[in-house]
Amino acid sequence: MDMLIIAERINSSRKWMARAMEARDAAFVQHEAGKQAGAGADYLDVNAGAFVGEELDCLKWVVRAVQEVTDSPLCIDSPDPAVIKGVLPLVNKPPLINSITLDPARLNGILPLVAEHGAKVIGLCQSEDKMAESIDDKLRLAGQLAENVTKAGIPLSDLYIHPLVYPLATHPPSAMVTLAAIDRIMHELKGVHTICGLTNVSYGLPERKLINRTFLVAAVARGLDAVILDPTDKALFGALKAGLAVAGKDEYCMDYIAAFREGRLA
């Protein structure tokens, strides 16, 4: 089974990237795009959310700059339907949209765009007033996301459910709850995918990358088939490839061996 890798570095929440975006430093952004594409990313996430009131203009500039140097498809990262609608005409390949929730304005504003443009979409297990914490809540909200996507005429295979994981430092059970939810979603909602970002789980802890790697390997064993990460982090990428091999998702370890020969493991 293929693991979908969404590269996370072109994101305005990173101070050095925000400075490059503000300065319209195309060479810097393009270098990051090329580096991540070369490291094996399937999609390049692009986010300009830090630029309140200017997000659309900035994201348009980022999309144009990135597409000048790579043909990798993009993950358009914004909660604002108007921003997504404004950017989509510039995108060269069907994108992944990050993200919908069960908030009606966001759901009804974004799903028609997903259907119109043949995009894939990330769905957060989050409603207008609730972020799912228990296994049952995560599964219930995942089911509601699947229902809404189906009603919009979007195949379930284009839905990537993010069950949400919270920092271990403040929510000690969250990692194990999320792992159990991934397992149940993959078994009970046939056809959907599951996806996670890794930064939340380690927030507030030392040696965060070690926690991130460990959680990723455990999630892969539970059925996770997409991840938002930094593909240029060789230790993280190596943990992913090793985890897929151990979980029986890399026949004869061929991808692992290929990554080793390319010098991609650490």
Side-chain angles (χ1 to χ4, degrees):
M1 180 192 70
D2 291 334
M3 167 69 66
L4 197 76
I5 297 175
I6 296 92
E8 68 182 8
R9 291 172 64 89
I10 304 176
N11 191 308
S12 61
S13 66
R14 296 170 178 251
K15 291 180 181 178
W16 42 267
M17 182 56 70
R19 287 195 294 269
M21 290 179 181
E22 187 172 24
R24 297 296 193 263
D25 186 346
F28 185 92
V29 173
Q30 289 170 341
H31 175 72
E32 285 293 339
K35 188 165 66 171
Q36 292 184 113
D42 297 297
Y43 285 81
L44 302 179
D45 190 86
V46 289
N47 173 295
F51 297 93
V52 178
E54 301 173 14
E55 182 185 4
L56 177 56
D57 286 343
C58 186
L59 195 56
K60 282 181 173 181
W61 175 83
V62 171
V63 167
R64 290 188 181 104
V66 168
Q67 290 186 150
E68 284 179 4
V69 294
T70 177
D71 61 359
S72 295
L74 303 180
C75 175
I76 307 300
D77 186 354
S78 175
D80 187 341
V83 169
I84 292 171
K85 184 176 182 179
V87 167
L88 280 173
L90 304 179
V91 174
N92 293 337
K93 290 185 174 180
L96 176 65
I97 291 176
N98 185 11
S99 56
I100 57 169
T101 66
L102 289 164
D103 172 58
R106 192 159 161 185
L107 193 68
N108 298 329
I110 293 175
L111 277 185
L113 300 172
V114 174
E116 179 185 348
H117 290 269
K120 301 178 187 298
V121 64
I122 294 172
L124 308 182
C125 288
Q126 178 180 336
S127 65
E128 198 171 8
D129 56 0
K130 184 177 184 63
M131 294 177 68
E133 294 193 25
S134 71
I135 298 169
D136 287 342
D137 279 346
K138 292 179 192 295
L139 186 65
R140 178 175 55 81
L141 295 183
Q144 291 175 17
L145 287 165
E147 287 174 17
N148 280 279
V149 162
T150 300
K151 285 178 186 174
I154 300 161
L156 282 181
S157 57
D158 286 340
L159 172 61
Y160 289 76
I161 293 175
H162 195 318
L164 302 182
V165 62
Y166 306 106
L168 285 171
T170 54
H171 294 70
S174 183
M176 291 303 296
V177 166
T178 302
L179 294 173
I182 289 168
D183 186 63
R184 287 189 62 185
I185 289 166
M186 294 299 280
H187 282 94
E188 297 181 31
L189 296 175
K190 296 294 185 184
V192 305
H193 302 277
T194 47
I195 189 168
C196 267
L198 302 175
T199 51
N200 271 1
V201 69
S202 62
Y203 187 78
L205 294 173
E207 296 294 346
R208 291 183 64 185
K209 289 184 177 183
L210 178 58
I211 297 289
N212 295 344
R213 292 195 297 270
T214 304
F215 177 74
L216 175 59
V217 171
V220 166
R222 294 298 190 103
L224 186 79
D225 60 359
V227 62
I228 303 166
L229 53 66
D230 176 1
T232 69
D233 180 337
K234 287 188 175 183
L236 182 58
F237 189 84
L240 173 60
K241 290 299 182 183
L244 289 166
V246 170
K249 297 173 182 178
D250 177 8
E251 192 170 14
Y252 299 108
C253 302
M254 295 304 292
D255 286 344
Y256 179 83
I257 293 168
F260 168 75
R261 287 175 175 164
E262 293 165 4
R264 302 288 322 287
L265 307 181

